[in-house]
């Protein structure tokens, strides 16, 4: 656990308060291919700083389109395309454990004061003031504390963003880091008038019918390797094309295979290009998959991690097998 040192909180709050006071340009950046925690934290902090009167731009590497499940997040007026981002005076990175995760914005961190808001075990130590707690269930939990320390009350829009961050990273309050404090925070957020059923239907439970058929194909190809306590499958670009689906429908599909009782580790290889895979890994508790992911160039948490793999799917799985055997 460890938590965040009081001196780091004080420094972060001071930096951001002064930035607002002196009308400095504040740039918020979350990780590439942002999930609900990254975008929710980004837009929550963005709206809170705006409420204080701050000059805020929010962005992430890559095209600015939000996947449909996250398209309902408030605060999107703060989003600025990568190319249109101005020179900032202060930077806050959110939900990114390493500089690679913020792409070209990593270069801006040299010589610009910054705050790193993150909860990954694989945090590399990059950036300025670390508001980093691997014991936090989501970056949104740290974002909520930052917003409270800045003295901004949770309105419904800020609460919506934080709630989406929390449900995304706790699997809707199912994972081990779901502490009493997380539930207490969720209660506070819901009290602003959020409708949890509506939000989770939108975020988790609404996909095109083509996605349902695609899941069938991907799940029916799953391979169990009892000797390695490993279950894995692939989702290829051809699968997406055959069913006319965008890549975001593959987020969460790992949940469909990680329940296999005979395995401890589940892997989903999502093809992003020829011989290039975005790999999701989950553990049922017996394996630290962040160790495997870090060894293969990625990062994450003990029970949920990922990396980008190159080569044929068999080769990528071979590398995972080898790391599991270490
Ligand atoms: P996912 O499987 O995409 O839900 O990601 C699970 C966890 O692994 C998240 O905490 C991610 O931050 C981390 N992760 C996934 N892909 C990568 C990557 N290419 N590099 C670093 N961390 C990753
Ligand atoms: Mn994330
Ligand atoms: Mn996160």
């Amino acid at each position: 656990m460890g938590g965040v040192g009081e001196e780091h909180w004080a420094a972060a709050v001071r930096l951001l308060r002064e930035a607002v006071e002196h009308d400095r340009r504040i740039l918020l950046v979350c990780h590439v291919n942002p999930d609900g925690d990254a975008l929710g934290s980004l837009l929550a902090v963005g709206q809170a700083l705006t409420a204080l009167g701050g000059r805020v731009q929010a962005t992430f590497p890559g095209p600015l389109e939000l996947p449909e499940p996250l398209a309902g997040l408030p605060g999107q007026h703060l989003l600025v395309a990568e190319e249109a981002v101005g020179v900032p005076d202060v930077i806050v990175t959110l939900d990114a454990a390493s500089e690679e995760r913020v792409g070209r914005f990593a270069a801006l961190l040299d010589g610009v004061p910054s705050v790193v808001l993150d909860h990954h075990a694989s945090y590399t130590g990059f950036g300025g003031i670390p508001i980093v707690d691997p014991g936090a269930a989501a970056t949104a939990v740290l974002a909520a504390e930052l917003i409270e320390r800045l003295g901004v009350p949770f309105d419904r829009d800020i609460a919506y963003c934080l709630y989406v961050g929390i449900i995304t990273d706790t699997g809707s309050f199912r994972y081990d880091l779901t502490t009493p404090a997380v539930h207490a925070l969720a209660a506070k957020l819901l009290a602003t008038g959020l409708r949890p059923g509506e939000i989770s239907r939108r975020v988790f439970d609404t996909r095109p019918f083509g996605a349902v058929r695609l899941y069938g194909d991907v799940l029916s190809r799953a391979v169990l390797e009892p000797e390695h306590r490993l279950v894995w499958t692939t989702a290829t670009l051809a699968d997406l094309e055959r069913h006319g689906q965008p890549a975001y429908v593959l987020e969460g599909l790992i949940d469909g295979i990680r329940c296999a009782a005979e395995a401890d580790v589940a892997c989903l290889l999502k093809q992003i290009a020829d011989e290039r895979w975005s790999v999701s890994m989950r553990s049922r508790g017996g394996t630290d998959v962040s160790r495997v992911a870090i060894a293969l160039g990625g990062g994450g948490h003990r029970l949920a991690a990922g990396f980008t793999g190159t080569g044929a799917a068999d080769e990528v799985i071979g590398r995972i097998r080898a790391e599991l055997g270490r």
Side-chain angles (χ1 to χ4, degrees):
M1 272 280 274
V4 176
E6 200 51 47
E7 72 281 15
H8 294 320
W9 277 119
V13 168
R14 198 180 323 120
L15 177 67
L16 293 172
R17 279 236 178 89
E18 282 179 11
V20 169
E21 220 167 279
H22 296 99
D23 203 30
R24 297 193 178 118
R25 293 155 298 185
I26 306 170
L27 177 63
L28 311 179
V29 187
C30 72
H31 67 71
V32 66
N33 188 21
D35 51 29
D37 187 30
L39 272 175
S41 301
L42 179 83
L43 297 175
V45 172
Q47 291 176 94
L49 289 170
T50 304
L52 287 175
R55 223 201 302 174
V56 178
Q57 291 192 320
T59 192
F60 51 86
L64 212 51
E65 303 140 27
L66 300 196
E68 185 53 33
L70 299 176
L73 285 173
Q76 290 177 41
H77 57 281
L78 299 172
L79 288 175
V80 173
E82 185 165 24
E83 315 74 52
V85 166
V87 180
D89 302 308
V90 174
I91 301 175
V92 181
T93 65
L94 302 101
D95 205 38
S98 67
E99 291 184 288
E100 295 86 78
R101 301 283 283 163
V102 292
R104 70 149 85 158
F105 298 107
L108 298 179
L109 289 166
D110 277 338
V112 175
S114 61
V115 177
V116 175
L117 222 57
D118 187 42
H119 68 126
H120 289 92
S122 58
Y123 171 56
T124 61
F126 83 95
I129 304 162
I131 303 295
V132 179
D133 181 4
T139 293
V141 171
L142 299 167
E145 181 161 356
L146 177 64
I147 290 167
E148 288 193 306
R149 283 174 180 259
L150 286 168
V152 180
F154 299 140
D155 64 15
R156 204 189 148 282
D157 286 352
I158 290 176
Y160 186 116
C161 291
L162 294 173
Y163 189 79
V164 167
I166 290 168
I167 61 174
T168 299
D169 271 30
T170 61
S172 299
F173 307 100
R174 287 175 300 156
Y175 304 152
D176 286 333
L177 293 176
T178 310
T179 58
V182 170
H183 279 285
L185 172 57
K188 230 189 246 185
L189 300 175
L190 289 179
T192 66
L194 300 184
R195 300 172 63 91
E198 226 166 73
I199 295 175
S200 62
R201 253 191 310 283
R202 173 106 192 230
V203 174
F204 302 121
D205 298 336
T206 305
R207 299 292 182 268
F209 179 63
V212 177
R213 302 295 299 254
L214 166 64
Y215 299 161
D217 291 359
V218 171
L219 293 177
S220 70
R221 288 201 302 263
V223 177
L224 177 68
E225 301 182 11
E227 66 280 23
H228 299 109
R229 303 208 20 93
L230 174 67
V231 61
W232 64 275
T233 188
T234 59
T236 64
L237 291 174
D239 291 325
L240 289 171
E241 196 179 340
R242 190 169 61 256
H243 293 288
Q245 295 303 304
Y248 83 75
V249 304
L250 302 177
E251 302 304 319
L253 182 47
I254 182 82
D255 292 338
I257 58 167
R258 73 183 172 88
C259 59
E262 296 85 344
D264 184 52
V265 172
C267 299
L268 173 62
L269 278 61
K270 297 169 279 187
Q271 190 177 28
I272 45 185
D274 192 30
E275 307 243 300
R276 217 171 145 74
W277 307 85
S278 169
V279 182
S280 284
M281 306 199 341
R282 298 291 184 270
S283 165
R284 298 171 60 81
T287 308
D288 178 356
V289 286
S290 75
R291 179 186 63 77
V292 176
I294 291 168
L296 297 173
H301 313 275
R302 203 170 70 80
L303 302 183
F307 68 96
T308 301
T310 52
D314 284 343
E315 292 169 342
V316 176
I317 285 296
R319 269 173 239 137
I320 292 171
R321 244 185 247 121
E323 281 302 328
L324 288 174
R326 268 180 225 284

